[in-house]
Amino acid sequence: MRQLLELLGFVALVQGVLGLVHEFTHWHVGLLQRLGFLDGYGVFAGVALIVLAIALFAVAGSTMQ
């Protein structure tokens, strides 16, 4: 379970950073740019994914095995 949470956190972190890179540099990277309903909210979605990644890492670190 811990590895799954870490993997999901890593994917969320990478996609959040790539979403911010896309918004500020207009490079065509990441998956956030491909989601049409997020048009105009790319920065907020990128920050939300980074916050989600931090929360997933925190939960993964607190799980007991």
Side-chain angles (χ1 to χ4, degrees):
M1 183 65 158
R2 183 177 181 188
Q3 288 87 8
L4 177 64
L5 290 173
E6 289 174 347
L7 176 68
L8 291 175
F10 177 74
V11 170
L13 180 66
V14 168
Q15 289 303 315
V17 169
L18 288 177
L20 291 177
V21 166
H22 170 70
E23 287 296 318
F24 293 120
T25 64
H26 298 289
W27 288 357
H28 297 290
V29 293
L31 295 176
L32 285 181
Q33 63 155 338
R34 300 181 196 280
L35 300 175
F37 63 89
L38 291 176
D39 285 345
Y41 298 103
V43 174
F44 300 116
V47 171
L49 277 174
I50 292 172
V51 170
L52 174 67
I54 293 169
L56 285 170
F57 288 139
V59 170
S62 69
T63 57
M64 302 286 284
Q65 285 201 10

